[in-house]
Amino acid sequence: QGFVYWHLYRWVCASVVSTSGTRLEFTGGPWPYMGWTVLQILSIFTVIGWAWVQTAFLRWQLRRTRTPTLHLGFRGSGFGLLWRAVGATATSVLILPLPWMVAYMYRWMIGNIEVHPTPAQVTR
């Protein structure tokens, strides 16, 4: 499954084109990606540790997603994800607010993505 998600993420990155014509590139390898997938599955058994694993994975994944002029980052915390997930789960028991809770969680994740210019390479 991790290998399939690695290919899918690479395809999504290659398919995103900015208005200037540049494409995203994912430089992470398949083995580390599969390792993160295994760690995510194992972290479910810790009850709360999954949130920290998920945010660490997002940091790893976005650090390796870039263009020639930009690189990405993630500033969200495991605790921030955990308390939002607990609140969203509790609210979603009512079923009607479920779509708004999914949108709330995605808005938080996307809102924590940072875009920075790539530092200029030092020439000798």
Side-chain angles (χ1 to χ4, degrees):
Q1 184 178 359
F3 191 66
V4 170
Y5 286 147
W6 175 74
H7 273 291
L8 180 64
Y9 188 70
R10 287 185 62 206
W11 175 80
V12 167
C13 287
S15 299
V16 172
V17 181
S18 71
T19 55
S20 65
T22 58
R23 293 185 182 272
L24 286 175
E25 177 188 11
F26 178 61
T27 59
W31 291 110
Y33 200 98
M34 286 186 279
W36 277 108
T37 303
V38 169
L39 189 58
Q40 287 176 324
I41 293 167
L42 293 175
S43 71
I44 293 170
F45 298 108
T46 66
V47 181
I48 64 171
W50 64 269
W52 281 267
V53 170
Q54 183 62 35
T55 53
F57 171 64
L58 285 170
R59 272 190 207 90
W60 177 84
Q61 187 177 28
L62 290 174
R63 244 184 282 134
R64 286 154 182 80
T65 304
R66 59 184 60 129
T67 71
T69 57
L70 299 172
H71 66 273
L72 304 175
F74 186 75
R75 69 173 178 264
S77 69
F79 183 72
L81 177 59
L82 180 65
W83 78 260
R84 283 174 176 81
V86 168
T89 302
T91 306
S92 296
V93 169
L94 302 172
I95 298 178
L96 187 61
L98 186 60
W100 289 276
M101 290 299 100
V102 171
Y104 170 73
M105 294 300 292
Y106 275 107
R107 234 184 343 265
W108 179 80
M109 282 191 191
I110 291 169
N112 278 291
I113 294 175
E114 299 175 326
V115 179
H116 301 284
T118 301
Q121 292 182 332
V122 178
T123 57
R124 294 181 190 208

